[in-house]
C-alpha cells in the first residue's frame, strides 16, 4: 500500500466547526441553547477549540484512506436537521432490534451478543434494545460468492437487507443484522464491514474480519460442493465457532454496530473530527476509528434520542 510520508492533518477551522455544531440559523442556535446545559455546551465547544484535548483532528495516513476516496461534502447539524424533517421516521418507536444470523452457539456467540446489547443500550441511552433469536443464513434468499483474497464464502448484503426489511417488527425503530460471515456489497467491492438500506431502517454488519481466526489471503477452507450444500456448510461453520473474541476484537464489533445504527437513525458519514461515523475501507482504518462520535455527530444523536450527555457518558 502506498503510504503518505507523514500523516497529514485534514482539518476545518474553528469558525467552520462552530457553525457545523451550532448552525448560523437563529432557530437552530436557540434549539442548541435550550437542549444543553452550560456544562454540556462547554464540553461540546471542544469541537472548535484550537487547543482541544478531548477530540482529535482527522489524519490522512495513506493515499487510499476513506477520506480521499470519498470526497463528499461534510454533513453539519443544520443539514442533518432539515433532512430529518423530510424523513418519515416514527420516533415513537423506541426499540432497536439486533438480528443474529447464524450466531448463537458457543461462548463466542453468547458473550458477543451480550456485550453488543449492553454497548448499544449505553450508546443510544433511552432506547430499548432487543436481541432476536438467531436465524440460519440458509433461510434467507441470499446470493454469495467466493472471496477474492481468502476463497471463503461471502454473502451479498442485499439479500439479507431485503429479508430484514420484509420481516421488520412493527415497533422497530430499526433492525440490524449481525453475522460472523463475510459480506460484499456489489461485485466490484472485495468486502464490506456493513451496509444499510436507505429509508428502510435496516442494516447488516459482519464481524468476520475482526476475528483472529479469519483466514489469510490464499487460504481455501471449502471442498467442492453444490451451492446449497456449500451454504449449509458455511452456516454450520459459523454456528459452531467456539473461539472467543479478544477485548480488542470485541471493541471493533461494538464500533461497527453503533456506526451502522447511527446511519439507520439518519446520521451521515463524518469528515469534521475523528469520529465513529468515519468510513473505513480497510481493517487498519477500522481499528483506528474511535468508539465515540465527535461533538457535531453527538448533537445529531442527542437530537434524535434526547439523552442527557452526562448520563450517557456515565
Amino acid at each position: 500500500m502506498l503510504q503518505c510520508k507523514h500523516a497529514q492533518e485534514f482539518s476545518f477551522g474553528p469558525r467552520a466547526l462552530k457553525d457545523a455544531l451550532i448552525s448560523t440559523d437563529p432557530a437552530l442556535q436557540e434549539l442548541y441553547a435550550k437542549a444543553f446545559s452550560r456544562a454540556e455546551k462547554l464540553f461540546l465547544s471542544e469541537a472548535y477549540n484550537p487547543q482541544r484535548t478531548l477530540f482529535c483532528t482527522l489524519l490522512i495516513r495513506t493515499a487510499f484512506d476513506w477520506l480521499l476516496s470519498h470526497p463528499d461534502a461534510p454533513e453539519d447539524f443544520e443539514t442533518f436537521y432539515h433532512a430529518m424533517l423530510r424523513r418519515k421516521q416514527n420516533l415513537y418507536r423506541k426499540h432497536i432490534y439486533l438480528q443474529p444470523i447464524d450466531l448463537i452457539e458457543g461462548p463466542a456467540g453468547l458473550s458477543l451478543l451480550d456485550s453488543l446489547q449492553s454497548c448499544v443500550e449505553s450508546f443510544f441511552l433511552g432506547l430499548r434494545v432487543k436481541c432476536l433469536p438467531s436465524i440460519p443464513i440458509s433461510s434467507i434468499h441470499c446470493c454469495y460468492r467466493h472471496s477474492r483474497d481468502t476463497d471463503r464464502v461471502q454473502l451479498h448484503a442485499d439479500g439479507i437487507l431485503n429479508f430484514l426489511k420484509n420481516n421488520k417488527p412493527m415497533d422497530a425503530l430499526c433492525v440490524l443484522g449481525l453475522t460472523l460471515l463475510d459480506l460484499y456489497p456489489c461485485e466490484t467491492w472485495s468486502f464490506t464491514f456493513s451496509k444499510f438500506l436507505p429509508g428502510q431502517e435496516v442494516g447488516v454488519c459482519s464481524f468476520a474480519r475482526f476475528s483472529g481466526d479469519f483466514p489469510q489471503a490464499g487460504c481455501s477452507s471449502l471442498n467442492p460442493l453444490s451451492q446449497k450444500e456449500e451454504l449449509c456448510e458455511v452456516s454450520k461453520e459459523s454456528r459452531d465457532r467456539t473461539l472467543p473474541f479478544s477485548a480488542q476484537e470485541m471493541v471493533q464489533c461494538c464500533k461497527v454496530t453503533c456506526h451502522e445504527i447511527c446511519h439507520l437513525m439518519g446520521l451521515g458519514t463524518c469528515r469534521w473530527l475523528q469520529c465513529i461515523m468515519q468510513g473505513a475501507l480497510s481493517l487498519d482504518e477500522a481499528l483506528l476509528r474511535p468508539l465515540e462520535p465527535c461533538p457535531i455527530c453527538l448533537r445529531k444523536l442527542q437530537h434524535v434520542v434526547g439523552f442527557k450527555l452526562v448520563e450517557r457518558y456515565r
Side-chain angles (χ1 to χ4, degrees):
M1 180 178 285
L2 178 62
Q3 301 287 327
C4 294
K5 290 183 179 180
H6 302 286
Q8 300 176 3
E9 285 194 353
F10 180 91
S11 61
F12 293 87
R15 181 76 255 178
L17 290 166
K18 185 174 183 179
D19 289 347
L21 172 67
I22 301 175
S23 176
T24 57
D25 183 335
L28 295 185
Q29 291 176 350
E30 184 178 356
L31 182 65
Y32 179 82
K34 291 179 178 178
F36 302 105
S37 68
R38 183 178 178 182
E40 289 172 331
K41 291 173 193 170
L42 181 62
F43 172 73
L44 293 171
S45 71
E46 279 287 289
Y48 51 88
N49 178 4
Q51 283 79 46
R52 73 178 73 90
T53 57
L54 296 179
F55 302 97
C56 300
T57 301
L58 285 168
L59 296 175
I60 299 174
R61 294 178 172 83
T62 79
F64 302 101
D65 278 11
W66 172 82
L67 276 170
L68 298 180
S69 302
H70 293 73
D72 308 313
E75 181 189 69
D76 56 18
F77 178 79
E78 183 174 338
T79 302
F80 167 80
Y81 178 84
H82 290 298
M84 288 297 293
L85 291 179
R86 295 190 295 269
R87 288 185 64 180
K88 295 179 180 179
Q89 189 174 32
N90 295 312
L91 295 179
Y92 66 86
R93 298 176 179 174
K94 295 294 186 180
H95 290 91
I96 296 173
Y97 281 91
L98 304 179
Q99 176 60 76
I101 301 169
D102 279 327
L103 179 55
I104 185 171
E105 298 179 12
L110 293 175
S111 61
L112 177 60
L113 292 175
D114 289 345
S115 297
L116 287 175
Q117 183 169 353
S118 176
C119 177
V120 172
E121 286 173 344
S122 297
F123 196 99
F124 302 94
L125 186 67
L127 300 180
R128 294 183 288 274
V129 182
K130 290 186 176 181
C131 194
L132 297 168
S134 181
I135 56 172
I137 192 60
S138 55
S139 67
I140 301 174
H141 181 68
C142 184
C143 297
Y144 68 95
R145 71 180 186 187
H146 284 267
S147 169
R148 300 167 188 170
D149 53 0
T150 67
D151 200 35
R152 192 176 260 194
V153 164
Q154 292 179 299
L155 306 176
H156 197 303
D158 287 358
I160 299 174
L161 293 175
N162 286 328
F163 173 87
L164 295 175
K165 178 186 72 172
N166 294 330
N167 293 275
K168 183 166 64 174
M170 292 296 293
D171 62 344
L173 181 61
C174 60
V175 182
L176 185 67
L178 310 172
T179 181
L180 295 174
L181 301 170
D182 207 24
L183 300 175
Y184 70 101
C186 58
E187 291 300 329
T188 56
W189 283 48
S190 58
F191 78 98
T192 186
F193 294 114
S194 58
K195 189 178 181 182
F196 70 100
L197 203 56
Q200 299 297 327
E201 289 82 44
V202 295
V204 60
C205 293
S206 167
F207 306 137
R209 305 225 166 200
F210 301 135
S211 168
D213 68 340
F214 189 77
Q216 300 301 309
C219 295
S220 178
S221 59
L222 294 169
N223 297 317
L225 297 168
S226 70
Q227 289 189 355
K228 184 175 181 180
E229 290 174 329
E230 190 171 51
L231 200 57
C232 287
E233 185 67 23
V234 170
S235 178
K236 182 179 183 301
E237 179 184 333
S238 178
R239 293 195 309 272
D240 290 345
R241 180 171 181 261
T242 57
L243 291 175
F245 280 85
S246 69
Q248 184 188 51
E249 292 165 356
M250 195 79 78
V251 169
Q252 303 313 312
C253 295
C254 289
K255 284 183 190 178
V256 71
T257 298
C258 293
H259 172 99
E260 207 60 21
I261 294 175
C262 283
H263 276 320
L264 301 183
M265 297 206 175
L267 277 71
T269 50
C270 178
R271 303 170 65 82
W272 298 110
L273 297 164
Q274 288 188 31
C275 176
I276 192 174
M277 294 311 295
Q278 255 93 61
L281 298 180
S282 67
L283 182 58
D284 287 342
E285 276 195 297
L287 292 172
L288 291 169
R289 186 165 59 189
L291 179 57
E292 274 297 291
C294 72
I296 297 161
C297 291
L298 182 60
R299 184 186 178 190
K300 298 173 190 177
L301 191 60
Q302 191 278 336
H303 178 71
V304 175
V305 183
F307 48 69
K308 295 293 184 182
L309 300 192
V310 172
E311 292 176 5
R312 179 181 177 277
Y313 275 98
R314 183 181 292 121

